[in-house]
Amino acid sequence: MQDDKALMQLAPLATPMTDSVIAVNTAPSVEEVRVARHLSGRAKAAIVVRLLLNDGADIPLEELPEELQTKLTEQMGEIGLVDRVTLGAVAHEFVEALEGIGLSMPHDLAGALNVLDGKIGARTAAKLRKQAGVKQSGDPWVRLKALPAAELAELAEAESTEVAAVLLSKLDTPKAAEMLGQLPGPVARQITYAVSKTGKVTPEAVDRIGFSLVAQMDQRPISAFDDDPEKRVGAILNQSAANTRDDMLTSLDAEDEAFATSVRKMIFTFAHIPERVTERDVPAVVRAVDQDEFVIALAAATDEKNAPVVEFLLGNMSARMADNLREEVQERGTIKRAEGERAMNAVVNAIRGLEDEGTITLVVEEEEDE
């Protein structure tokens, strides 16, 4: 990194601390500027860092390139005493640099890809990482910490216990706990115990482990679909007619029982409402569904599987509203099967919409311990 760029690279990191620098004499007279020491950009950056640290500022110096961090540290150890005139001149120049910044951009392609993570296509990002060798630069743990707990658990389970222990130790506490919950009990216990053996692991070793894990991520083939197969099939069957859905599940049982079981977990139909929707969320569901569609769905739910849903919904709203809906259902009479299923799907879609918005939270059926 050239000396004349050191001060400018430091400026974006210190923008929130401008007042700390302004507190120094930032506008020296012409005579004072003339007698100020002539300093390199690296020396000026070291002075500004020292000034901010003296004022108690928390500067994220770790975001600077490692080479520049080293040079700043070396320079701070060499510069010695700084007179007030020079300090004022340096502070004045730095404030001018801060005021001239319109936008702070990443220093390299690794930083740019981190900023654009999730905004550009996965294929494009993977291609850029491979072409530029980004996977061997930057901080690999930034990407690893951003992974879902399920993916982290998959990585941990494929690695040695020692590597998994380092991975666990680098995660934020909530994410680490979530990752452990995704692992089989014996594996989770082994990794947790192995954390006690990480006391002498060096920063270099942690970096190597991070780069290795990221390299494995980059080598994975990119899927053309965002969701897992069972989730895609479940979403399709959610919108299918009941007889079609039952027929498909029966066929899946014969072909692949494990996959069929996974698909069933993804399915949420009208009949599942009492199991998945809490009583306090029923009023929100009623408000979210077109009233005419809601009445048709209730009127069509006369079979053994769907009739309990009607009682659940009517039993968790105001008595006056429930009575009015019962009257409308009676007036509707018999509903054609296709029309009833469309109305039931409308209710289910409304519930899914409320869940996506965060208005309600569906109950997750817990698996029984084997």
Side-chain angles (χ1 to χ4, degrees):
M1 191 63 61
Q2 296 180 357
D3 287 351
D4 58 352
K5 293 183 179 180
L7 195 63
M8 288 304 297
Q9 282 198 271
L10 181 65
L13 302 183
T15 302
M17 303 94 167
T18 310
D19 292 342
S20 300
V21 183
I22 293 177
V24 180
N25 179 15
T26 59
S29 65
V30 175
E31 291 77 11
E32 288 176 326
V33 173
R34 286 175 180 170
V35 297
R37 290 169 57 183
H38 176 71
L39 299 170
S40 66
R42 192 193 311 170
K44 293 174 183 177
I47 291 173
V48 171
V49 168
R50 178 61 171 162
L51 175 61
L52 293 171
L53 291 176
N54 278 354
D55 199 55
D58 184 15
I59 316 174
L61 293 175
E62 68 276 3
E63 295 181 12
L64 292 173
E66 187 173 338
E67 180 186 4
L68 185 54
Q69 293 182 48
T70 301
K71 289 182 177 180
L72 279 174
T73 304
E74 292 172 348
Q75 184 65 58
M76 189 175 292
E78 297 172 0
I79 200 166
L81 294 174
V82 179
D83 60 83
R84 294 188 62 82
V85 173
T86 301
L87 178 61
V90 171
H92 178 63
E93 181 181 347
F94 186 64
V95 170
E96 286 187 337
L98 288 176
E99 292 175 345
I101 293 175
L103 184 67
S104 176
M105 300 294 286
H107 295 298
D108 51 26
L109 185 57
L113 285 170
N114 285 334
V115 170
L116 296 174
D117 186 33
K119 306 297 189 299
I120 61 176
R123 293 180 182 178
T124 302
K127 182 179 179 181
L128 287 171
R129 290 186 189 280
K130 289 180 180 179
Q131 287 179 347
V134 174
K135 62 185 178 182
Q136 295 299 330
S137 64
D139 184 357
W141 293 103
V142 173
R143 289 183 62 195
L144 290 167
K145 290 178 180 180
L147 290 177
E151 283 192 49
L152 290 168
E154 185 179 343
L155 278 175
E157 200 166 3
E159 292 293 334
S160 67
T161 304
E162 292 75 14
V163 169
V166 171
L167 172 60
L168 182 69
S169 300
K170 287 291 291 182
L171 298 177
D172 297 331
T173 302
K175 181 66 73 67
E178 191 177 357
M179 187 195 89
L180 282 179
Q182 300 280 342
L183 291 167
V187 176
R189 288 190 288 272
Q190 289 174 3
I191 294 174
T192 303
Y193 173 71
V195 171
S196 65
K197 307 294 184 181
T198 59
K200 296 183 179 180
V201 177
T202 64
E204 293 77 12
V206 172
D207 285 342
R208 287 196 300 271
I209 290 172
F211 285 127
S212 175
L213 293 174
V214 167
Q216 293 181 45
M217 290 167 49
D218 290 336
Q219 290 171 4
R220 291 178 176 179
I222 300 172
S223 174
F225 305 102
D226 294 331
D227 295 326
D228 294 331
E230 55 267 28
K231 189 171 183 179
R232 298 200 302 273
V233 174
I236 293 171
L237 295 182
N238 273 335
Q239 301 296 317
S240 302
N243 57 344
T244 301
R245 180 168 54 247
D246 293 341
D247 183 50
M248 291 300 101
L249 289 173
T250 301
S251 299
L252 285 175
D253 281 329
E255 295 290 336
D256 189 336
E257 186 176 355
F259 181 64
T261 300
S262 298
V263 169
R264 280 189 169 86
K265 293 178 181 178
M266 298 294 118
I267 291 177
F268 173 54
T269 64
F270 191 78
H272 293 125
I273 289 177
E275 304 168 9
R276 303 291 305 280
V277 177
T278 61
E279 296 176 356
R280 66 175 180 274
D281 287 334
V282 169
V285 172
V286 176
R287 289 193 297 269
V289 184
D290 177 82
Q291 185 169 344
D292 191 53
E293 291 277 19
F294 193 65
V295 170
I296 293 173
L298 296 180
T302 58
D303 58 295
E304 182 179 354
K305 184 167 59 176
N306 291 309
V309 181
V310 177
E311 294 306 315
F312 171 78
L313 293 172
L314 294 178
N316 288 288
M317 63 179 70
S318 68
R320 182 177 179 181
M321 180 181 289
D323 290 340
N324 290 338
L325 286 172
R326 285 191 179 93
E327 290 180 8
E328 292 188 51
V329 167
Q330 289 180 353
E331 291 174 2
R332 283 284 179 176
T334 303
I335 303 296
K336 293 181 180 179
R337 181 171 182 173
E339 184 182 10
E341 289 188 347
R342 280 196 300 270
M344 291 179 187
N345 283 337
V347 176
V348 170
N349 290 337
I351 294 173
R352 285 293 195 189
L354 291 172
E355 182 191 30
D356 293 339
E357 295 169 3
T359 304
I360 67 173
T361 301
L362 295 181
V363 176
V364 178
E365 184 178 356
E366 297 183 1
E367 296 182 6
E368 296 182 0
D369 295 333
E370 294 183 357

